Amino acid sequence: MRNLDPLKKRYDDIPIPAELDDVVNRALKASRRKDVQTMKSVKWAVGTAAAAAVIFVGSVNASPAVVHALSEVPVLNSLVKVVTFRDYKVDEGNYNADLQVPAIRDMNNKALEELLNSKYVNENKELYQSFMKQMKQQKGEGHLGVVSGYEVKTDNERILSIARYVEKTVGSTEETLQFDTIDKKNEVLLTLPSLFKDDSYIALISNNIQEQMEAQMKKDGDKVYWIGENAEDGDAFTTIKPDQHFYINNNGKLVISFDKYEVAPGSMGSVEFTIPSDVIANALVSHAYIK
């Protein structure tokens, strides 16, 4: 895995721009004003590499005001894409690993590009190291497998949504998913809270998902979700997490995802629900992403 180190080093060397506070304040102020001069300042802020880097660094708790300002900025089409950076394999009898590392390419916002790519590299590096450690500990006994990869869920003029999956096999199979959704025009990472005005989206989405679960179980007897009489102690689904896994599909719809075992038996695997836009329309900061 030494070949991964240069990418990590380049990420570690990325400087944090000194004008951080100025850029963020510009975006926040611009979102509250509608005059032409303010929008010009937002365009300037978004157009700088510093602005893009700063907004990404804070994107985990991104302000809805910032997202609203960005969504209204007209920008040229982006050529941002995802490719396979590396594919690592181990095949030693009952011990198998296949780790596919994605990479983002052709971003003008190199800070965001490097940070995402470093994250993908480090995730797979940790998986590989953990796998090798377990393999040595088991000393040829039992079975061990790990597979990681990615799927491009959405790639259109505005949105790039990437799903990253990990499947671990030690007796049974454990599956987890992670998602990154990128505004390709402004080159920022979107988060679920940043799409909404306040936390009212949590109840709106949760209630709709419960309705969908009930309708699916009524229609198909093979489908089971942990709600109502199917709920077990401690396993009942009541609400999504504020930062629940999500992506925006090619139709501009919000899709909420749950890991295997999270809201249903393992036989259901990972499950997802497309949220009707009219359910969340009034809670959205902007309709630039969700139609």
Side-chain angles (χ1 to χ4, degrees):
M1 299 294 287
R2 291 181 180 175
N3 292 333
L4 304 180
D5 293 337
L7 183 58
K8 174 65 165 60
K9 184 178 186 304
R10 289 202 302 275
Y11 159 59
D12 290 335
D13 292 339
I14 296 172
I16 300 299
E19 57 270 38
L20 185 150
D21 290 336
D22 289 341
V23 174
V24 172
N25 287 334
R26 285 176 185 273
L28 288 171
K29 290 177 181 178
S31 70
R32 300 188 185 100
R33 299 174 184 171
K34 300 299 181 181
D35 57 280
V36 175
Q37 184 60 40
T38 301
M39 288 313 300
K40 286 182 178 178
S41 69
V42 175
K43 293 176 187 178
W44 173 84
V46 174
T48 64
V54 168
I55 292 169
F56 168 72
V57 170
S59 65
V60 172
N61 294 302
S63 164
V66 175
V67 172
H68 178 68
L70 291 174
S71 68
E72 294 186 347
V73 177
V75 193
L76 294 177
N77 290 347
S78 173
L79 299 177
V80 179
K81 61 179 179 290
V82 60
V83 299
T84 299
F85 173 62
R86 275 292 171 84
D87 193 357
Y88 294 93
K89 296 180 182 292
V90 175
D91 187 359
E92 298 187 14
N94 290 334
Y95 298 90
N96 308 99
D98 187 350
L99 310 178
Q100 195 175 63
V101 186
I104 305 295
R105 290 288 183 263
D106 299 333
M107 270 191 169
N108 292 318
N109 183 352
K110 293 305 177 184
L112 174 54
E113 181 177 292
E114 291 279 2
L115 199 52
L116 287 171
N117 290 341
S118 179
K119 177 174 69 171
Y120 303 153
V121 166
N122 287 333
E123 286 174 349
N124 283 277
K125 186 175 182 179
E126 290 175 6
L127 283 172
Y128 176 80
Q129 292 173 339
S130 176
F131 173 83
M132 296 301 292
K133 181 179 179 179
Q134 286 183 277
M135 186 172 71
K136 290 179 181 178
Q137 290 174 341
Q138 292 186 200
K139 298 178 181 179
E141 298 179 0
H143 175 78
L144 184 65
V146 60
V147 175
S148 74
Y150 68 95
E151 177 185 355
V152 177
K153 291 287 191 178
T154 306
D155 187 5
N156 57 35
E157 183 178 285
R158 187 77 192 233
I159 294 293
L160 175 63
S161 286
I162 309 162
R164 306 187 317 285
Y165 59 86
V166 176
E167 297 177 358
K168 296 181 180 179
T169 303
V170 185
S172 61
T173 301
E174 172 189 332
E175 182 181 25
T176 58
L177 290 167
Q178 296 186 73
F179 297 84
D180 286 321
T181 293
I182 300 166
D183 174 346
K184 292 169 65 175
K185 287 188 174 182
N186 294 300
E187 298 193 347
V188 293
L189 189 66
L190 301 176
T191 68
L192 190 59
S194 72
L195 299 175
F196 298 94
K197 300 172 185 176
D198 52 41
D199 62 5
S200 62
Y201 72 92
I202 298 175
L204 293 173
I205 293 173
S206 299
N207 292 339
N208 180 261
I209 287 176
Q210 289 192 50
E211 291 174 2
Q212 290 193 47
M213 288 176 171
E214 291 171 355
Q216 288 182 26
M217 288 191 296
K218 185 176 181 180
K219 183 177 180 180
D220 185 347
D222 291 331
K223 290 192 174 183
V224 177
Y225 294 104
W226 287 328
I227 57 172
E229 62 182 17
N230 294 321
E232 300 179 6
D233 292 340
D235 289 329
F237 170 71
T238 57
T239 183
I240 64 168
K241 297 187 291 288
D243 60 348
Q244 188 70 44
H245 295 322
F246 83 99
Y247 65 93
I248 298 172
N249 67 22
N250 268 313
N251 295 321
K253 303 300 180 184
L254 177 67
V255 181
I256 298 295
S257 175
F258 296 93
D259 286 336
K260 186 177 181 180
Y261 299 110
E262 192 173 359
V263 296
S267 59
M268 294 278 288
S270 300
V271 295
E272 59 184 37
F273 299 87
T274 301
I275 308 302
S277 296
D278 60 347
V279 169
I280 54 176
N282 292 334
L284 290 168
V285 169
S286 166
H287 293 276
Y289 306 120
I290 298 175
K291 309 299 183 184

